[in-house]
Amino acid sequence: MIDALHDAPDFGVEPAAHLLSALAAEYPRDAVFLAVVDPGVGGKRDAIVVEAGGQRFVGPDNGLLSLAWRRSRRRRCWRIRWRPRRLTTSFHGRDLFAPVAAALAAKRVPRGWLEKKNQPDTLLADRDLAAVIYIDHYGNAVTGLRTSRNGARLRVGGRSVEFAPTFEKAKSPFWYENSMGLVEIAAPRASAAKLLRLKVGSPVAWQRSTR
Amino acid sequence: MIDALHDAPDFGVEPAAHLLSALAAEYPRDAVFLAVVDPGVGGKRDAIVVEAGGQRFVGPDNGLLSLAWRRSRRRRCWRIRWRPRRLTTSFHGRDLFAPVAAALAAKRVPRGWLEKKNQPDTLLADRDLAAVIYIDHYGNAVTGLRTSRNGARLRVGGRSVEFAPTFEKAKSPFWYENSMGLVEIAAPRASAAKLLRLKVGSPVAWQRSTR
Amino acid sequence: MIDALHDAPDFGVEPAAHLLSALAAEYPRDAVFLAVVDPGVGGKRDAIVVEAGGQRFVGPDNGLLSLAWRRSRRRRCWRIRWRPRRLTTSFHGRDLFAPVAAALAAKRVPRGWLEKKNQPDTLLADRDLAAVIYIDHYGNAVTGLRTSRNGARLRVGGRSVEFAPTFEKAKSPFWYENSMGLVEIAAPRASAAKLLRLKVGSPVAWQRSTR
């Protein structure tokens, strides 16, 4: 992932786990992901590698990699045993995860760096997250909902917004299924996040039809 | 172009077309540009390739590539006929334009991907745009004016600003000819955009001399 | 350095010099740095290359490279004599420094491009800078203090903050020694800069123990 550090929702492990799982589906089978949303850095959480559907994920064992794990049947997990000569308490992305991800990508992981582990210690619930998980540069608000409902309306930010197939045909604001397969709230030529005062974590809900 | 998605003025096809035309002049003759400001994505506009002065531009046929077209005599245009197996309605930059740009850069465009077209459907007027077309990280405001006028003052944001050859010699704010050959409004060690409350689209005008 | 243009503190040569010196220590011996914080661009300041501890730095002679110079015993300095065919008055990073940095990295500096110089014209004082020198994406505030004091409290933003070894164990806000070896003010899952209203230049001071 490019720009992962900047693009992941700050401090939010759960939204980031949903985003990572959706993004990973767009990457090749042999991709290696270095994922860091790590409020517990320097504490007791493990550093792990998850293999899921052929892809490898390197990061903290705090739930971030757990949806990739849960959503795959062909999966393995390792604890990272290796420690660099200098391990700061605040930047494991650079000191610990990056060298391991590089070794995985180069297919040269030194013996003893990884130790088999049954599963991640922290496992998030594998359900859709009915909340905003990411707000992009344009103010589009990505949700953790993977199932769109044809014609249904979505309750969000105190408003009820309807589906539109494209930005061009949309009234503002609207929802659509985005390029990662997630329900996204957008507004043509405007910021949906500003219009609806959304931030990461804002709840969303499908509305029952009143017709 | 690096960071094109983030740097282009959001939603504004016309300012982006002026910016693209000015930026392209700084790139080598055989450069390939993937340009996306595409409010009509998923609608009826064509996807096109423009060749102008040896450079190739890939993007939507909504005017974005039309100044590159208009400002070149040696030019050709193609409609993109190829469609990927999966074409989302919102991310043609990834799904459609990127593979075509990659094929052009690799000089391996499969037969049938492109079809000759006389010219882009949407052609913007080829004149200087007397408005702010881009605001950079420092708050410098780039305009669509290509012709600077020695000694003239510029009306912008309710103020009259004068020319300075360098930031060092400037009174704040000032205008100068920037590294792309466009008139730019800046302020030494401050944000001209904040000082003058400028945004993309803010009008600018040369002032008649009152002397 | 990646993203150097965006990450350096805008307009502030002194904080940037401290940041550059600390960052450089994390890079390999043969790294080449292109560093640009250059309010005097287009004026009379020299363009220079500094070699310090094997690393090379290319940039303006305005103090920016002077801490790298001062903090090394094995050091050399050159004036950049070469000028490109087209040298704009505002973008020496592109026109002048980048080609020189590229030539250094490729180990192919044409004869006559560089001329030996005894030392940079502008030399900043080589002491710790008791101020915020950089605020990162999360709102963590990096200071120019290289020496942390075990158990000491730091006066910053009108508050007294104490040391914490990790984000997990911290009360908000706190200070710790960051991954570059600098004292940094942070807050768990929040922006220290917002909490304490800090910006680049805000003063910090060690507090005398009142016990």
Side-chain angles (χ1 to χ4, degrees):
Chain A
M1 282 197 297
I2 296 162
D3 269 343
L5 279 163
H6 289 264
D7 276 358
D10 295 353
F11 317 126
V13 171
E14 191 175 19
H18 284 265
L19 189 62
L20 177 61
S21 169
L23 276 171
E26 308 296 328
Y27 281 75
R29 245 189 94 77
D30 61 348
V32 177
F33 297 86
L34 191 171
V36 187
V37 178
D38 196 9
V41 63
K44 287 180 184 167
R45 58 117 189 86
D46 261 359
I48 56 172
V49 174
V50 163
E51 182 180 296
Q55 298 179 324
R56 269 82 43 88
F57 301 82
V58 185
D61 189 351
N62 63 3
L64 182 62
L65 313 182
S66 70
L67 294 181
W69 167 270
R70 282 218 191 254
R71 291 171 181 175
S72 174
R73 265 181 294 181
R74 298 191 44 247
R75 63 197 189 184
R76 292 189 288 177
C77 184
W78 297 266
R79 172 184 296 111
I80 300 174
R81 284 184 55 193
W82 172 75
R83 288 295 176 273
R85 218 169 307 167
R86 175 179 170 223
L87 179 66
T88 60
T89 55
S90 61
F91 200 178
H92 288 195
R94 178 192 70 182
D95 299 336
L96 186 61
F97 302 141
V100 171
L104 285 166
K107 300 181 203 298
R108 288 191 204 170
V109 181
R111 188 192 296 268
W113 278 31
L114 303 181
E115 176 184 42
K116 203 78 171 50
K117 182 171 175 157
N118 284 332
Q119 60 173 39
D121 294 333
T122 308
L123 292 169
L124 298 176
D126 178 17
R127 55 168 184 242
D128 281 14
L129 188 62
V132 172
I133 62 169
Y134 178 66
I135 292 174
D136 76 11
H137 170 73
Y138 300 101
N140 299 328
V142 180
T143 74
L145 300 174
R146 288 175 297 170
T147 325
S148 36
R149 303 195 182 174
N150 284 337
R153 301 180 69 94
L154 197 66
R155 190 88 197 159
V156 54
R159 291 263 292 269
S160 166
V161 305
E162 64 180 8
F163 170 80
T166 64
F167 278 66
E168 212 189 21
K169 299 202 169 153
K171 284 172 198 160
S172 178
F174 68 106
W175 72 264
Y176 74 113
E177 186 179 318
N178 78 6
S179 60
M180 292 179 280
L182 296 174
V183 169
E184 180 168 319
I185 300 131
R189 302 181 189 230
S191 163
K194 272 194 195 161
L195 284 174
L196 299 170
R197 304 194 180 183
L198 302 179
K199 48 186 182 179
V200 170
S202 296
V204 300
W206 293 114
Q207 281 190 298
R208 267 182 230 153
S209 175
T210 51
R211 279 173 294 184
Chain B
M1 282 200 298
I2 296 162
D3 269 342
L5 279 163
H6 288 265
D7 275 359
D10 296 353
F11 319 125
V13 171
E14 191 174 20
H18 284 263
L19 188 62
L20 176 61
S21 170
L23 276 170
E26 308 296 327
Y27 280 75
R29 245 190 95 77
D30 61 348
V32 176
F33 297 85
L34 191 171
V36 186
V37 178
D38 196 9
V41 62
K44 287 179 185 167
R45 58 114 190 88
D46 261 359
I48 57 173
V49 174
V50 163
E51 183 181 294
Q55 298 180 323
R56 269 80 47 85
F57 301 82
V58 184
D61 188 350
N62 62 4
L64 182 62
L65 313 183
S66 70
L67 293 182
W69 167 270
R70 284 219 190 253
R71 290 170 181 177
S72 173
R73 265 181 296 180
R74 297 191 43 246
R75 62 198 190 184
R76 291 189 287 177
C77 183
W78 297 266
R79 173 184 296 111
I80 300 174
R81 285 185 54 194
W82 173 73
R83 288 294 176 272
R85 218 169 306 167
R86 175 179 169 222
L87 180 65
T88 61
T89 55
S90 61
F91 200 178
H92 288 195
R94 178 190 71 182
D95 299 337
L96 186 61
F97 302 139
V100 171
L104 285 164
K107 300 181 201 297
R108 288 192 206 169
V109 181
R111 187 190 297 267
W113 278 31
L114 303 181
E115 177 184 43
K116 203 75 170 51
K117 183 170 173 158
N118 283 333
Q119 60 173 40
D121 294 334
T122 308
L123 292 168
L124 298 176
D126 178 17
R127 53 168 183 241
D128 282 12
L129 188 62
V132 172
I133 62 169
Y134 178 64
I135 292 174
D136 76 11
H137 170 73
Y138 301 100
N140 299 329
V142 181
T143 74
L145 300 174
R146 288 175 297 171
T147 323
S148 36
R149 303 196 182 175
N150 284 337
R153 301 181 68 93
L154 197 66
R155 189 90 197 155
V156 54
R159 291 264 290 271
S160 167
V161 305
E162 65 180 7
F163 169 80
T166 64
F167 278 66
E168 214 190 18
K169 299 202 169 151
K171 286 175 197 155
S172 178
F174 68 105
W175 73 263
Y176 74 114
E177 187 179 318
N178 75 8
S179 60
M180 291 179 281
L182 296 174
V183 170
E184 181 169 320
I185 301 129
R189 302 180 189 231
S191 164
K194 273 193 195 160
L195 284 173
L196 299 169
R197 303 194 181 185
L198 303 178
K199 47 188 184 178
V200 170
S202 296
V204 300
W206 292 114
Q207 279 190 299
R208 267 183 230 155
S209 174
T210 51
R211 282 175 291 183
Chain C
M1 284 198 296
I2 295 162
D3 268 344
L5 280 163
H6 289 265
D7 275 358
D10 295 354
F11 318 126
V13 171
E14 191 176 20
H18 284 263
L19 188 63
L20 177 60
S21 170
L23 275 171
E26 309 295 328
Y27 280 75
R29 246 190 93 76
D30 60 347
V32 176
F33 297 86
L34 191 172
V36 187
V37 177
D38 196 9
V41 63
K44 286 178 185 169
R45 59 113 190 88
D46 261 0
I48 56 172
V49 174
V50 163
E51 182 181 295
Q55 298 179 325
R56 268 81 45 88
F57 301 81
V58 184
D61 189 351
N62 62 3
L64 181 62
L65 313 183
S66 69
L67 293 182
W69 167 269
R70 282 219 191 254
R71 291 172 180 175
S72 173
R73 263 180 297 178
R74 297 190 45 245
R75 62 199 191 184
R76 291 190 286 178
C77 183
W78 297 265
R79 173 183 297 112
I80 300 174
R81 285 184 55 192
W82 172 74
R83 289 294 176 274
R85 217 170 308 167
R86 176 179 169 224
L87 179 66
T88 61
T89 55
S90 60
F91 200 177
H92 288 195
R94 178 191 71 182
D95 299 337
L96 186 60
F97 303 139
V100 171
L104 285 165
K107 301 181 201 299
R108 289 191 205 171
V109 181
R111 187 192 296 268
W113 278 31
L114 303 181
E115 177 184 41
K116 203 76 171 45
K117 182 168 175 158
N118 284 331
Q119 59 174 42
D121 294 333
T122 308
L123 292 168
L124 299 176
D126 177 17
R127 55 170 183 241
D128 281 14
L129 188 62
V132 172
I133 62 169
Y134 179 64
I135 292 173
D136 77 10
H137 171 73
Y138 300 100
N140 300 328
V142 181
T143 74
L145 301 175
R146 288 175 297 171
T147 324
S148 36
R149 303 194 181 175
N150 284 339
R153 301 180 69 94
L154 198 66
R155 189 88 197 158
V156 53
R159 290 263 291 269
S160 166
V161 305
E162 64 180 9
F163 169 79
T166 65
F167 278 66
E168 212 189 21
K169 300 204 168 149
K171 285 172 197 157
S172 178
F174 68 106
W175 72 263
Y176 74 114
E177 187 180 318
N178 77 7
S179 61
M180 291 180 280
L182 297 174
V183 169
E184 180 168 321
I185 300 129
R189 302 180 188 231
S191 164
K194 273 194 194 161
L195 284 173
L196 299 170
R197 303 192 182 186
L198 304 177
K199 48 188 184 178
V200 170
S202 296
V204 300
W206 293 113
Q207 281 189 299
R208 266 182 231 155
S209 175
T210 51
R211 282 174 293 182

